[in-house]
Amino acid sequence: MTTDGFTTCLWFDGQAEEAAAFYVSVFKNSSIGRISRYTDAGPGETGSVLTVEFTANGQKFIALNGGPQFKFNEAVSFQILCADQAEIDHYWTKLTENGGEGGPCGWLKDRYGLSWQVVYDRLADMIHDPDGAKVDRAMKAMMAMGKLDVAALDEAYAGE
C-alpha cells in the first residue's frame, strides 16, 4: 500500500465534473487534476466524463460518474473543523447554496446530497471535559442548533 493516505471516491450521476469544480471553489488548497472519459468500451456514453481527480483542502478525491444506482446518505459525512463563527458561516453558506439544506447540530447536505458536519473546533474539548455539568450544558445547547453558534456554545459551556 502506498504511504500517500487514502483517496475518497464520490459517486455521482453525471455530475462528477460539476461537483469537483464546486468543491474546489469552496475550499482553499484545492485543485482539479486528471479527467478520464468513457470509451467505446462503456458503460457510459463515449467521450463523457468517467472520473475527475481533485483535491479539496488537501484531501484527495475522485468524482465518478457511475450512474443513478447509488445515492449519498448520512452514514458517511465529512467534518469541517472551524476556528470561529466566520468560518462556520462561510462553509455553511457555501455548502447549502443552490439546493443544499441545513440539518441539526451542525450537519448539512450539499446540493449533491453529500453530508457535512460544520463543527466548532472547540466542541470536541467541550464534550470531553471531565466536568459533567459543562458537558451537559454544551450538549444541550448544540442539540438545539442547526448551524452552530460559537458564542452560544461558549456561553453554555461556561455556564453563563
Side-chain angles (χ1 to χ4, degrees):
M1 185 162 93
T2 122
T3 59
D4 289 341
F6 295 100
T7 300
T8 302
C9 182
L10 302 173
W11 183 295
F12 296 91
D13 182 17
Q15 303 161 312
E17 191 169 20
E18 172 189 316
F22 171 66
Y23 296 130
V24 165
S25 77
V26 171
F27 298 98
K28 296 177 185 175
N29 192 20
S30 301
S31 62
I32 299 284
R34 298 182 297 182
I35 298 174
S36 66
R37 299 189 179 278
Y38 281 105
T39 67
D40 290 339
E45 182 180 328
T46 300
S48 65
V49 172
L50 170 62
T51 63
V52 179
E53 295 177 2
F54 70 101
T55 301
N57 196 31
Q59 173 66 44
K60 297 180 297 183
F61 292 90
I62 292 181
L64 167 70
N65 277 330
Q69 297 90 333
F70 302 108
K71 304 285 185 210
F72 296 121
N73 67 50
E74 294 81 1
V76 173
S77 63
F78 293 98
Q79 279 191 348
I80 305 168
L81 298 178
C82 300
D84 55 33
Q85 191 67 51
E87 282 188 1
I88 288 172
D89 293 346
H90 167 78
Y91 290 116
W92 190 272
T93 299
K94 288 290 192 183
L95 291 168
T96 58
E97 70 186 6
N98 297 323
E101 60 186 42
C105 307
W107 289 68
L108 63 86
K109 283 188 181 181
D110 67 26
R111 66 182 83 168
Y112 304 102
L114 189 58
S115 292
W116 298 85
Q117 298 174 55
V118 182
V119 180
Y120 182 31
D121 65 0
R122 290 198 52 236
L123 186 59
D125 290 336
M126 290 178 180
I127 63 174
H128 289 94
D129 193 292
D131 184 332
K134 288 182 174 182
V135 172
D136 286 348
R137 290 191 305 266
M139 285 294 295
K140 184 176 180 183
M142 181 200 60
M143 296 298 287
M145 296 177 186
K147 177 175 69 171
L148 298 186
D149 179 330
V150 168
L153 286 168
D154 284 338
E155 289 170 5
Y157 178 71
E160 298 172 3

